[in-house]
Amino acid sequence: MDHFHNILNKLEAFSRKYYTQLFIKGSLLFLALGAIFTLCLVSLEYFLWLDKTGRLILLILGSLVLLYLFIWQVGRPLVYLFRLKKGITHKEASRIIGRHFPNVGDKLFNLFDLQESKETTELLKASITQRSAQLAPIPFKKAVDLREGLKYVKYLSVPALLFLLIWVTGNFSDFMGSYKRVVNYDVAYEPPAPFSFVLLSNEETVLEDKSYLIQVTTQGSVQPEDVVIVLNSEEYLLRNRDGVFEYTLTPPIKDA
């Protein structure tokens, strides 16, 4: 029965390589799917500026989905690889090997049918020994190609292209800021103003006996209808001239 024990050892080696391939495949899919899902959640926060409750929901949802993906794609193959749980049976492995090697076919599967037989005649033992000797030279591990698992690296190109697109548009820092808001869901954040002021008047010194024209414009997706300036706790409305807001300080000019 030495040949049969050799068959069993080779099937164990096949199973380890089989689950190693599943681990490689699962790890790549976990990275790709996890990155895409995270980008989707962060995008919601980026565009919507959710409140604390909304960000908490995103964080919990993201954590649960990522945990599920990790357990299913990475943890499950590792459990079988380290024999923490029983994996494929010898017969299931025989089916896979038989499909890969035409000269094996159902011979390996039928060998285990004979081995499981309740009869223990000398003829049966001789048949098992003979069939085991015929199958002994077959390299079962070659029925699994680890490069098949590496093919899934192509799916990483999807999140990589998305990150590149965000970086090219110049919004990468703002986008990552959305990620920080989701992680720090209990911190209060205020969305930035849709515009910023640009001071066009750049004189550093002003004579108090001469008028001084203050000019400002705005940059952003929205332009305010009115702009006021506060001087000595009083508000003054600036005139809007084609997007440039102006106010003239008349002498004597006092410190604002």
Side-chain angles (χ1 to χ4, degrees), residues 5 44 50 53 79 83 87 90 94 100 125 128-129 164 173 183 191 216 230-232 236 241 249:
H5 289 303
L44 288 176
L50 301 172
T53 303
V79 167
R83 298 183 180 182
H90 290 149
S94 299
H100 183 80
K125 292 181 180 178
I128 292 175
T129 300
L164 180 61
S173 60
V183 174
V216 296
V230 179
L231 299 172
N232 297 322
Y236 299 90
R241 293 187 176 181
L249 294 176

Side-chain angles (χ1 to χ4, degrees), residues 225-241:
E225 294 182 0
D226 297 315
V227 175
V228 298
I229 186 173
V230 179
L231 299 172
N232 297 322
S233 302
E234 294 187 12
E235 296 183 354
Y236 299 90
L237 182 65
L238 277 65
R239 294 187 300 273
N240 186 354
R241 293 187 176 181

Side-chain angles (χ1 to χ4, degrees), residues 8-27:
L8 293 179
N9 291 333
K10 291 170 66 175
L11 281 176
E12 290 297 324
F14 164 83
S15 296
R16 288 193 296 271
K17 191 174 181 182
Y18 174 79
Y19 284 113
T20 299
Q21 183 200 61
L22 289 182
F23 169 72
I24 294 173
K25 170 187 172 182
S27 298

Side-chain angles (χ1 to χ4, degrees), residues 88 154-155 164:
I88 58 174
K154 61 185 178 182
Y155 294 107
L164 180 61

Side-chain angles (χ1 to χ4, degrees), residues 50-105:
L50 301 172
D51 57 13
K52 293 181 181 180
T53 303
R55 295 199 301 269
L56 177 59
I57 292 174
L58 288 185
L59 181 62
I60 294 175
L61 178 62
S63 300
L64 290 177
V65 171
L66 291 178
L67 180 61
Y68 170 79
L69 288 175
F70 179 82
I71 292 174
W72 185 254
Q73 296 292 349
V74 181
R76 190 168 57 101
L78 286 178
V79 167
Y80 295 127
L81 183 60
F82 291 104
R83 298 183 180 182
L84 301 177
K85 188 176 180 181
K86 186 177 179 181
I88 58 174
T89 64
H90 290 149
K91 282 191 171 182
E92 290 170 337
S94 299
R95 291 289 193 192
I96 299 173
I97 295 169
R99 288 194 295 267
H100 183 80
F101 295 105
N103 56 328
V104 173

